[in-house]
Amino acid sequence: MLFGIDYHAPGLAGVDEVGRGPLAGDVVAAAVILDPARPVPGLRDSKKLSAARREELAGQIREHALAWAVARASVLEIDTLNILQASLLAMHRAVQALDPQPEWVLVDGNRLPRWDYRSEPVVRGDDRVPAIAAASILAKVQRDAELVALDAQYPGYGFAAHKGYPTAAHLQALRTLGVTPVHRRSFAPVKALLPQTPAG
């Protein structure tokens, strides 16, 4: 039991997002309702798993879960709302897409989206709640695949390697090649390279 909730019970969804820190790409969230009768061994924080293991587990989650959904907030939404609100929006969209809808929702972190679901935030939930771990895996596998696709669309930036995070190589590519449409203009390292509009 966690917070008085049996987190193996049917109807409980785990939610997590991936991609708050990168300078490029959407923020992606997933929601998962696991099936207690068809457990997926080895679930844990996606960042602590190899890419191959994440892919393997993602396939098992999609096959065995009672319900799962992946959603996003776009780069434009991130720049318009800010990254926290965009992340919460992506999580809300993921839960809304579940069929059946959950009875309880446990969200990784310390903030909840504005919604009517019975829910609780769980700090470090991706290593404490199997359904949240499953959501973190699905979200990361999805977002990583998208950044690999962006690498082909925008060669030279190294998206397949750094997945949009502000590595030295990514920052150098930004300075050399400029800002692409998939970069988050509200993030300081990107904003600093944009043309400045004169005041007044």
Side-chain angles (χ1 to χ4, degrees):
M1 300 282 281
L2 181 69
F3 305 114
I5 302 167
D6 179 356
Y7 59 71
H8 294 286
L12 184 136
V15 185
D16 200 4
E17 53 72 29
V18 172
R20 284 182 62 169
L23 304 179
D26 297 347
V27 59
V28 175
V32 178
I33 301 175
L34 292 172
D35 185 349
R38 305 181 76 192
V40 180
L43 294 175
R44 62 183 308 198
D45 177 1
S46 62
K47 297 184 292 295
K48 298 179 179 178
L49 299 167
S50 68
R53 182 62 174 148
R54 285 195 297 268
E55 291 278 359
E56 180 183 0
L57 285 170
Q60 294 178 28
I61 293 162
R62 295 187 199 104
E63 181 179 353
H64 296 309
L66 290 173
W68 62 271
V70 175
R72 71 192 56 255
S74 68
V75 170
L76 178 59
E77 288 172 321
I78 292 168
D79 287 339
T80 302
L81 299 172
N82 75 45
I83 185 58
L84 172 60
Q85 293 306 317
S87 298
L88 295 172
L89 176 61
M91 290 191 284
H92 196 169
R93 287 170 172 166
V95 175
Q96 283 183 312
L98 289 173
D99 184 14
Q101 283 283 279
E103 299 171 16
W104 276 97
V105 184
L106 296 182
V107 179
D108 186 56
N110 60 6
R111 299 286 295 271
L112 290 172
R114 295 187 184 94
W115 57 21
D116 295 327
Y117 296 102
R118 293 189 296 170
S119 56
E120 297 203 40
V122 185
V123 175
R124 296 188 301 279
D126 45 11
D127 245 352
R128 300 171 63 194
V129 180
I132 295 178
S136 79
I137 291 166
L138 290 189
K140 182 156 179 59
V141 166
Q142 176 69 32
R143 190 177 189 282
D144 283 0
E146 293 177 8
L147 269 291
V148 170
L150 288 179
D151 187 75
Q153 188 175 354
Y154 299 99
Y157 288 88
F159 287 134
H162 54 62
K163 305 301 188 294
Y165 283 89
T167 63
H170 188 187
L171 295 173
Q172 182 57 49
L174 267 171
R175 289 189 290 267
T176 303
L177 302 174
V179 176
T180 74
V182 298
H183 279 99
R184 302 172 180 178
R185 283 159 166 71
S186 57
F187 280 43
V190 179
K191 190 174 185 178
L193 297 174
L194 297 173
Q196 299 301 305
T197 302

